[in-house]
Amino acid sequence: MKKAFTQTLMELRGGAVVEEATNELNTLVAMVRDTGKAGKITITVEVKPFAKVQDALEVTGKVVATLPKEKESAEVFFPTVENNLSRHSERQTKLPGTSLADSSSAAHG
């Protein structure tokens, strides 16, 4: 009878590979929900001959998570005729008696 892959996976690094994959999956699910973008987890099991003992194999497990990037916030600026960036459009006429509160005066008021 073949031993289940999951049983071997549970034995790698004393169960640390499965614990790491579980933690990464939890993080991945949260990031996908937050960003609406996809991600993935890759579990690699490498098997190679163990040089010091005949008929023995060296087995390693590695977990790699590719998390979606969080959306960077963007702000709106308007280009001036001098090619600078301004918060205010030069084409927008100002209404008499109105002004935008800046953060320094709003903090003191």
Side-chain angles (χ1 to χ4, degrees), residues 28-42:
L28 177 61
V29 169
M31 294 289 295
V32 168
R33 290 178 75 187
D34 289 347
T35 65
K37 296 179 182 176
K40 68 179 178 179
I41 295 174
T42 304

Side-chain angles (χ1 to χ4, degrees), residues 8-46:
T8 302
L9 203 57
M10 291 290 289
E11 294 175 4
L12 285 173
R13 288 193 277 142
V17 172
V18 171
E19 184 176 342
E20 193 176 319
T22 300
N23 292 336
E24 292 292 356
L25 180 60
N26 187 268
T27 300
L28 177 61
V29 169
M31 294 289 295
V32 168
R33 290 178 75 187
D34 289 347
T35 65
K37 296 179 182 176
K40 68 179 178 179
I41 295 174
T42 304
I43 301 172
T44 304
V45 176
E46 183 178 359

Side-chain angles (χ1 to χ4, degrees), residues 67-83:
L67 302 175
K69 299 208 185 297
E70 291 190 41
K71 185 178 178 182
E72 294 180 18
S73 62
E75 298 185 32
V76 176
F77 286 85
F78 298 92
T80 66
V81 292
E82 297 87 12
N83 294 317

Side-chain angles (χ1 to χ4, degrees), residues 35-64:
T35 65
K37 296 179 182 176
K40 68 179 178 179
I41 295 174
T42 304
I43 301 172
T44 304
V45 176
E46 183 178 359
V47 181
K48 59 186 177 183
F50 189 64
K52 298 179 182 178
V53 179
Q54 188 176 3
D55 295 330
L57 300 173
E58 183 177 329
V59 182
T60 57
K62 183 178 179 181
V63 178
V64 176

